[in-house]
């Protein structure tokens, strides 16, 4: 492998999609393919930070990854465990429109037996609160890729508190920049770096 990562990093959509199809035909694990794509996205992000790529390149990369996801995510869903978990409210926080990582987390949770209430991107705090109430969910999972959106996480936690729901739900955050400092700043319960950590967190929340 490596060829998927390289073709996506070079924004070569035709080659990237052809290589993904080839890998799936050869029964490569979907998670492995996504991992390689994520490496490419980090490289593209770094090139953007360094000024050698531009927003238009990020958009192109996002579009290619979405096409790749359409091929790969159904395989993840289909490989479901048959277990029945609980309900998880998932969304990208207000002022952040990145959806690719969130969608991967959604599919992996679904494949692990959880019912995901996906509230979308750029989600105001009150929408998370409403979804928790309407679905009686025990977990809220927030995706955040922008350092400028930490206050959106904090606002969501505050809104859950105001609604009297904070004791009833566990809140996990994830996405590139979040870490333990953000957990403490915003008052969440944990952070996770990948979908697997989100799954473990949800399993623990529902085991109690
Ligand atoms: C593609 C992309 C875009 C696309 C998004 C398309 C889409 N449909 O989502 C577009 C062009 C729209 C975009 C816009 C912008 N972007 Co952008 N973008 C990216 C890029 C290159 C890839 C993101 C991605 O999809 N990665 C692949 C997925 C699979 O990875 P992931 O999202 O990290 O998700 C994984 C984990 O983090 C985790 N995870 C994700 N969510 C959750 C949730 C939970 C609960 C858990 C446990 C785990 C978890 O699991 C996922 C799977 O493994 C990143 C670079 C990077 N290093 O991430 C920059 C990046 C995130 N963008 C950045 C910036 C600055 C912007 C803009 C402000 C640019 C601008 N000047 O307009 C705008 C902001 C728009 C907005 N208001 O949100 C910066 C953010 C810097 C920062 N840390 O604050 C980055 C890091 C690039 C960089 N190095 O500068 N972007």
């Amino acid at each position: 492998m490596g060829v998927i990562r390289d073709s996506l990093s070079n924004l070569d959509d035709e080659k990237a999609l052809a290589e993904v199809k080839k890998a799936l035909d050869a029964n490569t694990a979907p998670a492995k393919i996504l991992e390689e794509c994520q490496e490419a996205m980090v490289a593209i992000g770094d090139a953007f930070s360094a000024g050698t790529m531009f927003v238009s390149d990020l958009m192109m990369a996002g579009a290619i990854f979405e096409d790749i996801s359409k091929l790969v995510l159904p395989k993840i869903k289909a490989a479901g465990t048959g277990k029945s978990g609980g309900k998880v409210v998932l969304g990208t926080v207000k002022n952040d429109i990145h959806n690719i990582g969130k969608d991967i987390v959604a599919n992996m949770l679904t494949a692990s037996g959880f019912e995901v209430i996906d509230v979308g991107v750029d989600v105001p705090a009150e929408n998370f609160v409403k979804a928790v109430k309407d679905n009686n969910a025990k977990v809220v999972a927030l995706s955040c890729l922008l350092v400028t959106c930490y206050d959106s996480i904090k606002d969501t936690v505050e809104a859950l508190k105001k609604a009297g729901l904070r004791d009833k739900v566990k809140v996990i955050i994830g996405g590139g920049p979040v870490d333990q400092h953000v957990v403490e700043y915003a008052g969440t319960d944990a952070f996770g770096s990948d979908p697997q950590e989100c799954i473990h967190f949800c399993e623990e929340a529902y085991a109690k």
Side-chain angles (χ1 to χ4, degrees):
M1 298 255 282
V3 60
I4 294 176
R5 183 190 52 230
D6 295 346
S7 41
L8 179 54
S9 308
N10 295 329
L11 304 178
D12 185 343
D13 51 346
E14 277 176 24
K15 188 159 171 61
L17 283 165
E19 290 299 334
V20 167
K21 280 184 193 147
K22 226 199 259 175
L24 287 173
D25 286 345
N27 286 325
T28 305
K32 177 88 193 63
I33 297 174
L34 291 177
E35 211 175 276
E36 213 175 297
C37 292
Q38 201 176 339
E39 284 171 22
M41 295 305 248
V42 170
I44 290 163
D46 290 348
F48 173 72
S49 297
T52 53
M53 275 190 163
F54 308 96
V55 174
S56 54
D57 297 313
L58 296 189
M59 288 167 77
M60 178 70 182
I64 302 173
F65 201 141
E66 297 235 313
D67 286 343
I68 292 175
S69 296
K70 281 183 199 142
L71 298 174
V72 177
L73 294 181
K75 305 263 177 200
I76 291 181
K77 253 192 184 161
T81 59
K83 276 190 300 185
S84 142
K87 293 182 181 180
V88 180
V89 171
L90 169 71
T92 303
V93 296
K94 185 154 177 56
N95 295 324
D96 186 342
I97 61 164
H98 294 87
N99 70 294
I100 296 171
K102 167 187 73 62
D103 291 349
I104 293 175
V105 172
N107 279 275
M108 305 270 287
L109 281 170
T110 306
S112 298
F114 290 95
E115 184 183 332
V116 177
I117 296 104
D118 186 340
V119 288
V121 299
D122 187 15
V123 179
E126 57 271 23
N127 292 20
F128 283 106
V129 170
K130 184 172 185 312
V132 169
K133 274 191 191 153
D134 289 352
N135 295 284
N136 204 12
K138 269 193 182 181
V139 179
V140 177
L142 305 173
S143 186
C144 174
L145 266 76
L146 299 175
V147 294
T148 48
C149 290
Y150 294 163
D151 281 331
S152 303
I153 303 175
K154 196 172 182 176
D155 292 347
T156 306
V157 173
E158 288 302 323
L160 288 166
K161 267 189 204 158
K162 256 200 187 141
L165 293 168
R166 187 64 187 95
D167 298 342
K168 300 190 178 77
V169 288
K170 296 276 176 210
V171 183
I172 182 168
I173 49 175
V178 305
D179 58 15
Q180 187 57 30
H181 291 109
V182 186
V183 169
E184 281 155 29
Y185 174 72
T188 70
D189 295 297
F191 77 97
S193 324
D194 56 39
Q196 215 49 48
E197 292 184 7
C198 196
I199 291 166
H200 286 148
F201 181 84
C202 295
E203 282 170 349
E204 273 184 20
Y206 275 100
K208 282 173 192 150

